[in-house]
Amino acid sequence: MIPHPLGGARLAARLVAPSLNISPNNSLPGSSQVTSFLGGIEQWAVYACLLGLIVGGAGLWWGVQNGSINRTSVSQHKILAALAGAIIIGASAFLITWAFNFGSAVS
């Protein structure tokens, strides 16, 4: 049996269940404004993904109705990009926490 070079189960447990041990410091000037601003940006990004999904769906319908293979292909890419964007936005807090814990595990 060859041992795993990265520590096996211990590293896997750190990657699967990340927990950020930094408590927020709300006493910094502007913390609530930054939090509110980032929440607004996240909301507008979700709206942009929804708009991209609608535009992509309309383009897909148009391409199918007119027999345009190029329009259909471009619209499929728009739909997938909108869905991928929404997934990344939804998972952003988990992804940042995971990346921070992964970086702090490196020694």
Side-chain angles (χ1 to χ4, degrees):
M1 182 169 143
I2 300 173
H4 195 274
L6 294 178
R10 286 184 293 133
L11 181 64
R14 286 184 192 168
L15 295 177
V16 172
S19 63
L20 191 59
N21 294 327
I22 298 175
S23 59
N25 186 354
N26 292 332
S27 65
L28 291 173
S31 294
S32 61
Q33 288 85 2
V34 170
T35 302
S36 177
F37 176 73
L38 291 176
I41 294 293
E42 183 180 29
Q43 182 178 0
W44 281 103
V46 170
Y47 290 158
C49 289
L50 179 61
L51 180 63
L53 187 65
I54 292 169
V55 169
L60 183 63
W61 174 82
W62 184 264
V64 168
Q65 292 299 317
N66 293 321
S68 173
I69 295 172
N70 185 40
R71 172 64 55 199
T72 303
S73 177
V74 168
S75 297
Q76 287 173 348
H77 287 116
K78 286 180 184 177
I79 291 170
L80 290 176
L83 293 176
I87 289 169
I88 291 171
I89 292 166
S92 61
F94 173 79
L95 292 173
I96 294 299
T97 304
W98 173 82
F100 176 80
N101 288 332
F102 183 76
S104 63
V106 174
S107 58

